[in-house]
Amino acid sequence: MHHSVWRLAIGIVFGLIAWLLPASDAFAHCVLGSRFLPATLATDDPCVADEMSLPTVSWSKTGDVPPGNEWDVSAELSKRITENFGISIGDTWTQIRQPDNPTRAGYADLETTLQYQLLKNDEHELALLLGLVVDWGGTGAGNSGLGTSYSLLTPTFYFGKGFGDLPEQAGWLRAFAVTGQVGYQIPTSSFDLMQNVFIPQVLVYGGSLQYSMPYLKSAVRDYQLPDFINHLIPIVEARFQTPVGNNFGNSFVTTGTVNPGMIWVGSYFQVGLEAAIPVNHASGTGVGLLGQLHFYLDDMFPTTIGRPLLDTAAPRTTPRPSF
């Protein structure tokens, strides 16, 4: 039932976007002085915001022998409650086709995230964020092995840092930025009776190195490059997970991917495309793909649904970085 409600809610929001899009001025959703940090695809950016990813699509080959083809299609909606506190809700539909085995398909457990903005410093282009990710057990397709009977709690620390505060002599190097996250995943049960295995506690971590062509043009030097180039952010992401506790009888091998790619940034949305390179065979076989269409709701509707629910201040008027 919750899946139908979630899809209906997403459809309503998407319809509102199409209806209201021409009505407002833009304001980038994660701004630190002259720096704009985009929403990253494999990890999370370090800002509370009103935003929506619809859809995020990935294709990869599993590490099974023989490998299976896996498709993941997800959606996520984030909303600020106050200027510094927000919540997000998301879900993923997965299909795994493996030779000589039945196709598995269904929804993963519903995921919600509570986020609190610890710091946003414009001068040093620094953002710090604290979050709690909850995967709600029993809400996914447990009969397909895509959902679990237990929940997962993952307290997570996020950060972002731009290098625009380097001396002017650093020149084009000032357009670089990094983001990162570290979380500790704790299951609500220590043993899975159905699978007869211990459920590990897992360190989940990753980050990105990115180069902002919009920042290069607006804050360093305008090289008179084509407009399309000035909207690009080349990026390399990485995301890993390492079992660290309660993992008796299971592998302690770290799994993850390294994701080089590109993000095109507009005034109201961004489009990202990355390769997903497994770090070992346990992480997958061959190179996968990851793509995302992401909407800046706080840019699109700064005076209505793009504002914090409990915000009584006047709408924002600070100029956004120029794209």
Side-chain angles (χ1 to χ4, degrees), residues 167-178:
E168 289 192 11
Q169 292 85 341
W172 58 271
L173 293 174
R174 296 169 58 215
F176 275 106
V178 295

Side-chain angles (χ1 to χ4, degrees), residues 278-295:
V279 296
N280 51 31
H281 191 271
S283 304
T285 306
V287 178
L289 292 174
L290 176 63
Q292 184 184 82
L293 176 60
H294 184 90
F295 296 93

Side-chain angles (χ1 to χ4, degrees), residues 133-155:
V133 184
V134 182
D135 296 280
W136 296 93
T139 60
N143 57 341
S144 298
L146 302 173
T148 64
S149 60
Y150 52 87
S151 298
L152 299 172
L153 309 177
T154 313

Side-chain angles (χ1 to χ4, degrees), residues 9 15 57 163:
V57 181
F163 296 119

Side-chain angles (χ1 to χ4, degrees), residues 108-309:
D109 291 333
L110 189 72
E111 180 181 284
T112 60
T113 304
L114 300 176
Q115 296 180 324
Y116 183 76
Q117 194 77 58
L118 298 173
L119 175 70
K120 287 180 72 173
N121 184 284
D122 291 343
E123 180 182 359
H124 295 289
E125 300 178 356
L126 176 65
L128 304 177
L129 180 73
L130 193 62
L132 175 63
V133 184
V134 182
D135 296 280
W136 296 93
T139 60
N143 57 341
S144 298
L146 302 173
T148 64
S149 60
Y150 52 87
S151 298
L152 299 172
L153 309 177
T154 313
T156 306
F157 173 73
Y158 309 83
F159 70 89
K161 177 71 175 74
F163 296 119
D165 56 354
L166 291 174
E168 289 192 11
Q169 292 85 341
W172 58 271
L173 293 174
R174 296 169 58 215
F176 275 106
V178 295
T179 65
Q181 64 182 70
V182 180
Y184 194 85
Q185 187 178 89
I186 306 168
T188 56
S189 177
S190 61
F191 193 82
D192 189 333
L193 294 175
M194 298 294 294
Q195 301 294 327
N196 196 35
V197 294
F198 285 93
I199 306 169
Q201 298 174 4
V202 178
L203 186 66
V204 181
Y205 53 102
S208 77
L209 174 65
Q210 50 190 259
Y211 191 84
S212 176
M213 299 303 294
Y215 188 90
L216 180 69
K217 175 186 175 181
S218 64
V220 180
R221 179 180 174 183
D222 186 356
Y223 287 93
Q224 300 299 312
L225 299 173
D227 186 61
F228 178 79
I229 301 297
N230 287 327
H231 285 249
L232 292 178
I233 300 180
I235 186 170
V236 178
E237 290 191 77
R239 183 179 175 89
F240 308 103
Q241 55 180 19
T242 303
V244 291
N246 194 51
N247 199 36
F248 308 106
N250 297 320
S251 171
F252 280 88
V253 172
T254 294
T255 57
T257 60
V258 176
N259 297 30
M262 196 78 66
I263 297 174
W264 182 91
V265 176
S267 295
Y268 299 103
F269 67 94
Q270 68 177 54
V271 180
L273 183 64
E274 297 178 348
I277 305 171
V279 296
N280 51 31
H281 191 271
S283 304
T285 306
V287 178
L289 292 174
L290 176 63
Q292 184 184 82
L293 176 60
H294 184 90
F295 296 93
Y296 311 140
L297 301 184
D298 45 1
D299 287 356
M300 298 163 75
F301 318 116
T303 61
T304 54
I305 64 173
R307 296 179 64 189
L309 291 177

Side-chain angles (χ1 to χ4, degrees), residues 74-118:
S74 64
E76 183 177 30
L77 178 65
S78 298
K79 186 76 190 79
R80 288 179 298 168
I81 307 303
T82 67
E83 187 67 30
N84 293 317
F85 176 74
I87 186 171
S88 70
I89 181 171
D91 211 345
T92 300
W93 179 85
T94 296
Q95 181 190 77
I96 302 176
R97 290 180 176 270
Q98 189 175 359
D100 304 323
N101 284 293
T103 296
R104 292 188 293 151
Y107 286 93
D109 291 333
L110 189 72
E111 180 181 284
T112 60
T113 304
L114 300 176
Q115 296 180 324
Y116 183 76
Q117 194 77 58
L118 298 173

